[in-house]
Amino acid sequence: MRIDNKLQDLKNEFDVSSEKIVEIAKLFKKAMEDGLGGFESPLKMLPSFIGSPSGNECGVFYTVDMGGTNVRSTKFELKNGSFENLGEVKSKLKDAEGKYDYTSGDTTGEELFDFFAELISKLISPNETGYLGHTFSFPSRQAGINEAFLIEWTKEIKVSGVVGNNPNYLLSEALKRRNIMVTPRAIINDTVGTLLVAAYMYKDAHVGTIMGTGHNTCYLEAKHPINGCEMIVNMETGNFNIGLPITKYDLTIDANSATPGAQILEKMISGYYIGDIVTLIIKDFYENAALFSDCSSSMELLSKNKIDSLTVENFILYPDRTIQSINCKKEDALILKEISEAVVRRASRLAAATYIGTLLHIDAGEIRNNHVIAVDGTIYEKMPRVPELLDEAFLEALKEKSKLISVKLVKDGSGLGAAIAAAVAVKLYPK
Ligand code: BGC
């Protein structure tokens, strides 16, 4: 009885009602407009200096793409709307055996970008020259398509000497040190890359979003205050913090993070933190005798490995494996599944609220046009039921109008999008 109550209380606490979704959507729209107008807002509304691509971009381009977990370099050929991957190298930012860690505060910017240059060197033959597009998935204030200044690290990265600097400058210096004749020509956020690629595929692609290690959304602003023209805006929605249903677990995660007070929405949605939320809930249940009451070794076994988003996925999909791996009872495995589902459901409904807010802004207060939301990232792609949970949230909040919204998985936008951005930049600003 007591266990049931604890679980029900948790589900209630993690529920985001349809009324709350609408309320958050409206607050989000207001924050967008405040940010765009230069007023104080948790949304940074960063200009990207790029609009929709023409679809006719051509040429061979190198890309480098740093996310929260991996860095990848690719050589793409763009041919009037189609593309070919001519080669790719990828590496983890942090070696599983602890041999290196390019995310830690002991790494310098110079070391990080030397590591990128080394990857790029594996794709390029001696004496070859080329242009590069860089996807840098951290809040950066852009001054132009090839110039961005890192505002702050997110996703718990702490490398020194990069905040305040232009990653493309640091990268070009690293390339020069290795005599690699590749010139960076564009720098974009991964959400922007996703939207650029989606624009090739769907005429109504207006929003690009990542639900992965990190969380963020961009959209196409029809008339940007900077140039009066179409421009993609990187909102840095992970930093949204108004009207959110914050729990004691969220407060603990925030307090223990590298960025207390910042990236509040990201800490409720993204893959980096989802496992930590589930961990805190499990500990709370255990301490209150609502979990593993007959088998204390299960808690010990569970604590041996970090609970990450993949563990959460497994709790939901395979309770039988949970029973085996931590030697617990079926009831316990089912509680872990329900805790995980509640956390994932909340994440999906909060993301949906921000997408609705974005579309309310695009359509000036009432959703009336068709919109494609292009999404990439493991939480959307792999976490059970996230696509349905988003659709459910749209339907509950918007009823009939929800039919105007379609969410499409656009994979690998962050790589290919950087090549498209470099092609656009080279055409706009030939040297
Ligand atoms: C970063 C964003 C990025 C997102 C997804 C966040 O932590 O601040 O710039 O788009 O992660 O990678």
Side-chain angles (χ1 to χ4, degrees), residues 211 347-353 355 375 380 385-395 407:
M211 291 181 83
S348 308
R349 291 171 79 83
L350 291 177
Y355 301 150
V375 53
Y380 180 80
R385 294 200 64 242
V386 168
E388 289 112 274
L389 288 166
L390 289 177
D391 286 345
E392 251 170 56
F394 293 144
L395 181 64
V407 182

Side-chain angles (χ1 to χ4, degrees), residues 104-110 153 158-163:
S104 92
D106 298 333
T107 300
T108 63
E110 208 173 284
W153 284 118
K158 305 185 187 87
V159 178
S160 65
V162 188
V163 172

